[in-house]
Structure formats: structure tokens, C-alpha cells
Amino acid sequence: QVQLVESGGGLVQPGGSLRLSCAASGSIFSVDVMGWYRAVPGKERELVATITRGGSMEYADSVKGRFTISRDNAKKMVALQMNYLKPEDTAVYYCNVNGRSLPTGRYDSWGQGTQVTVSS
């Protein structure tokens, strides 16, 4: 079983910054893709950013140039630096991690979600 613990959400004014972090622990053999998604009431969860073990990154068009995803493979952590935040970035942000588990098989785990609110 793989657990994810998120931190870093909160309330920020438009134009401000926040940094989200997520740490994975448990029966992990390898960590492949790590990413962040977000959800607002009445809409489907959407991809924000992902990063592979080799460092390849993907971003939603709406956050390109403002958000940066990074990972620490040794610590099994992924972070999302969010700059120039806009009210439309308000959502619950979820960490997602997948890979190979111990002793065998694969996992695809989600964090509990952290609220990000951008408002003046």
C-alpha cells in the first residue's frame, strides 16, 4: 500500500504564490510518473502538471509559464510551485503518483487533496 501526504495549500491574493508538496511512502519499488491534478465543484478533475522519473514535464495550457513541477527521486517527493496565481486557479489540488509496488504489481495512488483559494 502506498500513501501520499500533501501540504502547502491555503489562501492567497491574486498574483501571489504558493508551493504544494507531496511525499510518497509505503510499499514502493519504483516511482514512475508524479503529478498534480485539480478539481472544482461541478467539473471533472483536470491535469495540472506531471513529471516522469527522467524529468520530462507536461503542463496544462492554463498554467504554462506560471507553475513549475519538480521532484526529488531520493525522497519520493513532488512539488508544485505556483506563481502569478489567478482566481480561476482556485480548486482542490490532488497529488498522484504511480509506479511499481512491493513485492509485485503496480500502484496508482492519490493524495487527500489540499485546498487552494485565490481571492482578494
Side-chain angles (χ1 to χ4, degrees):
Q1 196 169 7
V2 176
Q3 298 82 38
L4 303 182
V5 177
E6 303 168 358
S7 61
L11 172 65
V12 64
Q13 293 185 341
S17 299
L18 281 175
R19 183 177 178 85
L20 306 181
S21 296
C22 173
S25 63
S27 304
I28 297 172
F29 177 79
S30 69
V31 178
D32 295 339
V33 181
M34 309 182 84
W36 292 93
Y37 293 73
R38 64 188 182 187
V40 297
K43 295 181 67 176
E44 291 188 1
R45 189 176 298 186
E46 65 173 2
L47 180 148
V48 177
T50 61
I51 183 168
T52 67
R53 185 166 41 182
S56 296
M57 294 169 280
E58 178 182 356
Y59 293 94
D61 288 343
S62 59
V63 308
K64 285 180 180 177
R66 301 187 298 122
F67 292 9
T68 302
I69 191 170
S70 60
R71 64 187 280 171
D72 184 327
N73 290 328
K75 295 182 178 179
K76 300 181 181 65
M77 293 185 67
V78 61
L80 184 70
Q81 178 65 41
M82 304 184 293
N83 298 328
Y84 306 107
L85 282 159
K86 303 175 181 180
E88 51 263 44
D89 295 318
T90 296
V92 177
Y93 284 70
Y94 297 90
C95 175
N96 174 257
V97 176
N98 63 61
R100 293 171 61 190
S101 55
L102 290 169
T104 60
R106 294 193 60 83
Y107 65 91
D108 187 346
S109 297
W110 291 88
Q112 77 280 8
T114 185
Q115 178 70 47
V116 171
T117 302
V118 185
S119 176
S120 55

